[in-house]
Amino acid sequence: MVTRSSRFSTYLWYICASSILICLLGNLAILRSSFEPLSESKDEDDLHQLKPDRVDVLKHGGRSSQGQFAESMAFRGELVLEHSLRKLMEDTDNNEGSKYAPTGNKKRAPFEESLQYNHNPPKVSKEIVETDSPTSLIGCDDLHKITDVTYIDSGWTKAVYKGRYDGRPVAIKTVDISGQEVTTCTEKGYALTECYHRATQKILKEIVLLQGIEHSNVIEVLGYCIPDRPYTGEPHTVVTMVTELGEPIDIIRLLQMWWEDRLRVAYDMTKIVHFLARTPYGSLSMNDFRRQQFVLVDGELKLSDVDDMGMEEPSCQIDKDCELFFFNDNLTLRTPCASGRCIGYNEKKNVFNAGRHFTTFLLPHGAPKRLRPVIDKSVDGFGNVTMTTDQLLQQMDKIVNMYRSGVYLNRTKPEDYKTFYREYKNSDTPGHFDYRCKLSLSGSGCTISVFDQREAEDMCNTDPECRSFVMTSQMTWTGRKITHLKNGFRKPTRSKGMRLFVSEE
């Protein structure tokens, strides 16, 4: 029989156990809330998906910094640092729509103000990051050396400036305090410091990714600064990234290019999607694919914006989970589901978007007739995603080589190489007989590229205005000779390296 004293002891034990459990749950909740700004997921499996040799990008900042970001990093230790970096590099927005929102008017951002301290630069930490780069990166202590700073534009998160460092043009990216990212966050009731901290995660992601996916068609990071104190609105608390400077591109500029230059852009775009399918981080997806995310550096197309890059193939259970549907084009694609992931999903998505935004309209317009069959096959490979990036790169290599070698001219007989124009060596008619023609390489005359003298003669013969032409010693990226068509002829001026050709008719 259970006595009253034994029942009392049992109740007392339950009360004590319940009290201990409530205390443990309360402490766990407090601990979790203190860690929440850095990571919303505790899945430790993600820790091993980040390449360890690239984690060093921010490790030293975690050890030396005294600010909010660095303190929390040091508190959680090296393992949690890898986890938070992995979260930074996850896709933050799967929306296909554009987030590009130019502000229109120039706004003085804290970074630009910080450059006014030319004689007394603000005290900031030493260069945060150590890399295996053969050249030293621009650090916090070097920012005041950037001159001629000019506002360029703003997007959803970042403000972009241009300037000069050691005589070299550079681009500077910072958080745009008046941009949509920070504004939307503060309107929800969060403090400006917290909103700024969240926005910097995209810049930190770009620092990590751009250095981790080094490629000739990816913009080069020249330096960055992660201050040793939390953001307060003062210039020396601004997170900054410095890269090489590129020229923005739009559809009008692309269509006004000479066909050879458009071929180069299409070729570079193919190399970019080919590389993204096999980066050190695996296959990456450009979730916000727009022309504004690319720039031209000395005529070469480069990927410059990677903050919306998706790091993994989508998860799945069956093949049907791996369907891609492009609503505007009424196109549905499917990739196989294997080991819980949609294999090849990111690659197909990038190929379709590359075709829609670049190659589909860049390659056919103005192309040499004998290259059309090969070009049409490539355009179909992009537009209908009937080729892998390996196959597309092989196809584009073929087009470039045919154009560079003159094979597309289809010369089969000796007379195909015979020339008819009279040549004047080291001669030119500068400033005379220039005229405008379609798709010229220059805006002041009719400047084209040719494989040889015979092709220049053929092009002059088919142009009703052309009477002569001057072949220069300059060459394009394919090795073709830059040539100026003229609509007249006069006694030439001596010019070393130039060759004047006049029709004998």
Side-chain angles (χ1 to χ4, degrees):
M1 184 176 68
V2 179
T3 65
R4 179 178 299 178
S5 61
S6 64
R7 280 202 305 269
F8 178 77
S9 299
T10 302
Y11 292 150
L12 183 61
W13 185 88
Y14 282 142
I15 292 172
C16 292
S18 300
S19 300
I20 293 172
L21 180 61
I22 291 172
C23 290
L24 288 175
L25 290 175
N27 289 333
L28 180 62
I30 294 171
L31 188 62
R32 180 178 179 181
S33 64
S34 66
F35 289 165
E36 198 65 45
L38 280 176
S39 176
E40 297 177 3
S41 171
K42 303 298 180 287
D43 184 4
E44 297 298 331
D45 290 340
D46 286 346
L47 295 175
H48 305 291
Q49 298 186 24
L50 180 64
K51 297 292 180 182
D53 56 348
R54 292 298 174 185
V55 173
D56 290 337
V57 171
L58 290 178
K59 275 185 180 177
H60 291 76
R63 296 193 189 106
S64 62
S65 176
Q66 301 299 316
Q68 175 187 3
F69 177 77
E71 285 177 355
S72 55
M73 287 294 189
F75 178 73
R76 299 189 67 186
E78 201 170 68
L79 187 65
V80 178
L81 172 60
E82 292 188 17
H83 189 207
S84 58
L85 285 181
R86 182 67 183 85
K87 294 298 293 180
L88 284 176
M89 290 186 289
E90 286 181 355
D91 175 35
T92 57
D93 188 358
N94 290 323
N95 186 2
E96 288 283 344
S98 171
K99 281 188 171 184
Y100 190 71
T103 57
N105 297 324
K106 175 178 178 178
K107 300 177 181 178
R108 289 185 64 84
F111 172 77
E112 190 176 6
E113 294 174 2
S114 72
L115 297 183
Q116 309 309 314
Y117 296 91
N118 286 330
H119 302 292
N120 262 320
K123 183 179 180 181
V124 291
S125 63
K126 294 181 179 180
E127 186 175 320
I128 301 294
V129 182
E130 292 183 2
T131 70
D132 54 2
S133 174
T135 57
S136 58
L137 295 174
I138 299 171
C140 295
D141 292 334
D142 302 312
L143 292 182
H144 71 283
K145 300 176 185 177
I146 301 178
T147 61
D148 303 329
V149 177
T150 306
Y151 171 85
I152 299 178
D153 214 337
S154 294
W156 187 266
T157 303
K158 300 183 290 290
V160 184
Y161 301 81
K162 66 178 180 180
R164 299 192 72 83
Y165 179 82
D166 197 22
R168 177 180 183 176
V170 297
I172 309 110
K173 293 183 179 182
T174 68
V175 172
D176 184 9
I177 299 301
S178 56
Q180 288 297 317
E181 181 92 13
V182 175
T183 301
T184 301
C185 177
T186 55
E187 287 176 350
K188 291 180 179 179
Y190 294 98
L192 177 60
T193 302
E194 171 64 18
C195 294
Y196 181 88
H197 172 70
R198 293 184 179 186
T200 59
Q201 293 183 12
K202 288 195 173 183
I203 295 182
L204 296 176
K205 174 181 177 179
E206 285 200 292
I207 292 173
V208 174
L209 266 180
L210 287 175
Q211 292 194 113
I213 58 173
E214 292 176 323
H215 187 269
S216 59
N217 293 109
V218 175
I219 205 77
E220 180 185 359
V221 176
L222 303 177
Y224 40 86
C225 175
I226 305 174
D228 62 351
R229 63 203 73 186
Y231 177 73
T232 63
E234 299 177 359
H236 54 281
T237 63
V238 177
V239 173
T240 307
M241 177 172 65
V242 183
T243 70
E244 58 183 332
L245 181 65
E247 301 175 63
I249 57 176
D250 55 44
I251 191 169
I252 295 178
R253 177 174 181 181
L254 290 173
L255 290 175
Q256 289 177 338
M257 286 180 172
W258 170 252
W259 184 80
E260 185 176 353
D261 292 333
R262 285 186 277 114
L263 171 64
R264 185 179 188 180
V265 171
Y267 189 35
D268 287 339
M269 186 72 254
T270 308
K271 289 188 284 187
I272 290 173
V273 294
H274 179 266
F275 173 70
L276 290 179
R278 48 191 54 77
T279 75
Y281 297 108
S283 179
L284 305 184
S285 168
M286 293 192 64
N287 292 319
D288 190 19
F289 202 115
R290 292 175 290 110
R291 296 185 192 97
Q292 291 89 342
Q293 292 175 306
F294 301 86
V295 294
L296 290 174
V297 180
D298 297 328
E300 187 175 30
L301 185 71
K302 296 199 176 190
L303 175 62
S304 63
D305 193 339
V306 297
D307 59 6
D308 283 311
M309 193 74 73
M311 295 296 296
E312 293 178 329
E313 305 273 26
S315 59
C316 62
Q317 292 182 339
I318 58 175
D319 287 353
K320 188 172 177 57
D321 296 336
C322 300
E323 285 188 347
L324 295 88
F325 180 66
F326 301 98
F327 180 78
N328 292 335
D329 296 83
N330 195 27
L331 176 66
T332 301
L333 303 172
R334 181 180 292 181
T335 63
C337 177
S339 301
R341 293 291 175 184
C342 298
I343 306 303
Y345 186 100
N346 290 344
E347 181 178 17
K348 286 183 179 292
K349 182 178 179 181
N350 289 339
V351 166
F352 177 82
N353 285 324
R356 182 167 59 131
H357 290 283
F358 288 92
T359 56
T360 298
F361 68 89
L362 286 180
L363 284 176
H365 179 54
K369 290 183 179 180
R370 293 187 179 93
L371 283 178
R372 295 287 175 84
V374 190
I375 288 173
D376 290 344
K377 186 175 180 180
S378 298
V379 169
D380 181 70
F382 275 101
N384 296 313
V385 198
T386 56
M387 296 184 187
T388 66
T389 53
D390 280 333
Q391 293 169 325
L392 287 169
L393 187 57
Q394 290 174 5
Q395 195 73 6
M396 289 301 299
D397 282 337
K398 182 178 180 180
I399 294 172
V400 171
N401 289 332
M402 288 178 67
Y403 190 64
R404 177 183 286 128
S405 64
V407 170
Y408 74 96
L409 296 171
N410 196 30
R411 293 173 179 169
T412 58
K413 303 182 295 293
E415 52 265 31
D416 292 335
Y417 296 88
K418 187 177 180 181
T419 57
F420 303 93
Y421 280 48
R422 181 185 305 168
E423 179 182 357
Y424 297 84
K425 294 182 178 180
N426 296 317
S427 299
D428 191 5
T429 55
H432 298 281
F433 309 114
D434 293 320
Y435 67 98
R436 301 288 296 275
C437 64
K438 291 182 179 180
L439 303 176
S440 171
L441 290 171
S442 69
S444 58
C446 186
T447 303
I448 61 174
S449 72
V450 297
F451 174 69
D452 58 10
Q453 178 185 337
R454 176 57 190 268
E455 185 179 17
E457 290 184 8
D458 291 341
M459 296 187 74
C460 189
N461 290 337
T462 56
D463 187 334
E465 289 193 60
C466 184
R467 296 291 180 271
S468 64
F469 59 87
V470 176
M471 294 186 69
T472 73
S473 57
Q474 296 175 294
M475 293 187 179
T476 64
W477 67 280
T478 61
R480 292 164 60 87
K481 299 175 179 63
I482 293 179
T483 301
H484 306 292
L485 302 188
K486 305 279 186 172
N487 61 7
F489 171 71
R490 59 171 288 177
K491 184 178 179 179
T493 302
R494 179 172 176 79
S495 181
K496 186 176 181 180
M498 300 291 197
R499 295 190 296 159
L500 173 64
F501 297 87
V502 180
S503 173
E504 295 184 338
E505 292 183 359

